[in-house]
Amino acid sequence: MRLVLLGPPGSGKGTQATRLKDELQIPHISTGDLLRAEVAAGSELGLAAKEVMARGELVSDEILLGMIRSRLSREDVANGFILDGYPRNVAQANALEALLADINQPLQAVVQLDVANELLVERIAGRAKAEGREDDNPESVRKRLQVYSDSTAPVIGFYEGRGSLAKVDGVGSLDEVFARIMAALGK
Ligand code: AP5
């Protein structure tokens, strides 16, 4: 299964991708996690991304495409993958489509998790207390939600136009949301 999980910050992409990974036995590829690993390692890429991420803005399409290209060239994606956090704008959606066409591995499903903004803010505030992620402060969260509505929401229309989008209600227990995603995938 080659799957993209779309949704605003805090909608549960990472949480559900972890479960899907175990259920479907395919890797979970989170561009946020890949970038945070670069920041933690103090690499050149991490240094370039650090401040941009802390502000809640998007890291450059060029950096992201390089990261995704390299990750999708690994052998463990032979049976599929779950992309979480990519694509995040229409340029990235086009780049991904071209990249997957090149390796003859087109997407099979795109699941959009739907959660109202007030609940997103509440969930992220909870995580901020528990984990202290640098971009979970109120100012960066506002920015991330704005970036989602300006740049990422148009990606929904991109995939709707290709007939591959399934909308899933992301409100409910972790088990309920997981069951809805599996049903949307026909599993
Ligand atoms: P990224 O790490 O992708 O962050 P995000 O999209 O803001 O997503 P989050 O991790 O906040 O939310 P999530 O949907 O995964 O929810 P989660 O499961 O964690 O990106 C971070 C930054 O990296 C970006 O701002 C950007 O700078 C950069 N970046 C990444 N990709 C990029 C790209 N492609 N292009 C350019 N820049 C890029 O859940 C959130 C909380 O809610 C958790 O505490 C969880 O326990 C809780 N929760 C989850 N589900 C439920 C539920 N059903 N009920 C109650 N609580 C729940």
Side-chain angles (χ1 to χ4, degrees), residues 7-184:
S11 57
K13 302 182 297 295
T15 304
Q16 295 297 334
T18 304
R19 295 179 151 220
L20 288 164
K21 168 189 166 197
D22 293 339
E23 182 72 21
L24 304 173
Q25 293 290 301
I26 49 176
H28 165 206
I29 302 175
S30 155
T31 47
D33 287 349
L34 291 174
L35 286 165
R36 280 185 286 277
E38 295 286 346
V39 171
S43 68
E44 203 177 316
L45 193 161
L47 289 175
K50 189 174 191 302
E51 297 304 323
V52 180
M53 291 174 75
R55 287 198 300 271
E57 293 168 6
L58 293 185
V59 177
S60 83
D61 290 348
E62 198 187 342
I63 289 183
L64 266 293
L65 182 58
M67 267 178 35
I68 281 289
R69 185 180 281 129
S70 146
R71 184 62 187 85
L72 292 180
S73 69
R74 280 172 50 183
E75 277 179 15
D76 65 346
V77 300
N79 293 324
F81 50 79
I82 304 155
L83 277 183
D84 154 15
Y86 192 92
R88 243 175 163 97
N89 58 32
V90 171
Q92 293 185 6
N94 277 305
L96 178 66
E97 192 170 60
L99 173 60
L100 295 178
D102 266 356
I103 55 173
N104 206 17
Q105 304 266 347
L107 284 180
Q108 293 165 303
V110 178
V111 170
Q112 179 211 340
L113 290 175
D114 201 18
V115 178
N117 273 14
E118 307 81 72
L119 193 50
L120 298 172
V121 169
E122 207 177 287
R123 285 184 185 178
I124 296 176
R127 184 174 60 189
K129 276 193 201 130
E131 295 175 23
R133 211 172 100 175
E134 208 180 338
D135 59 349
D136 278 348
N137 64 80
E139 200 182 323
S140 300
V141 171
R142 259 194 305 280
K143 182 70 187 173
R144 284 157 65 200
L145 290 172
Q146 188 62 47
V147 167
Y148 181 81
S149 88
D150 292 347
S151 303
T152 312
V155 175
I156 295 168
F158 177 94
Y159 287 121
E160 262 170 349
R162 279 152 177 76
S164 49
L165 189 86
K167 292 189 192 220
V168 167
D169 180 2
V171 182
S173 71
L174 302 190
D175 287 346
E176 282 165 345
V177 176
F178 181 69
R180 287 178 205 139
I181 296 174
M182 291 301 280

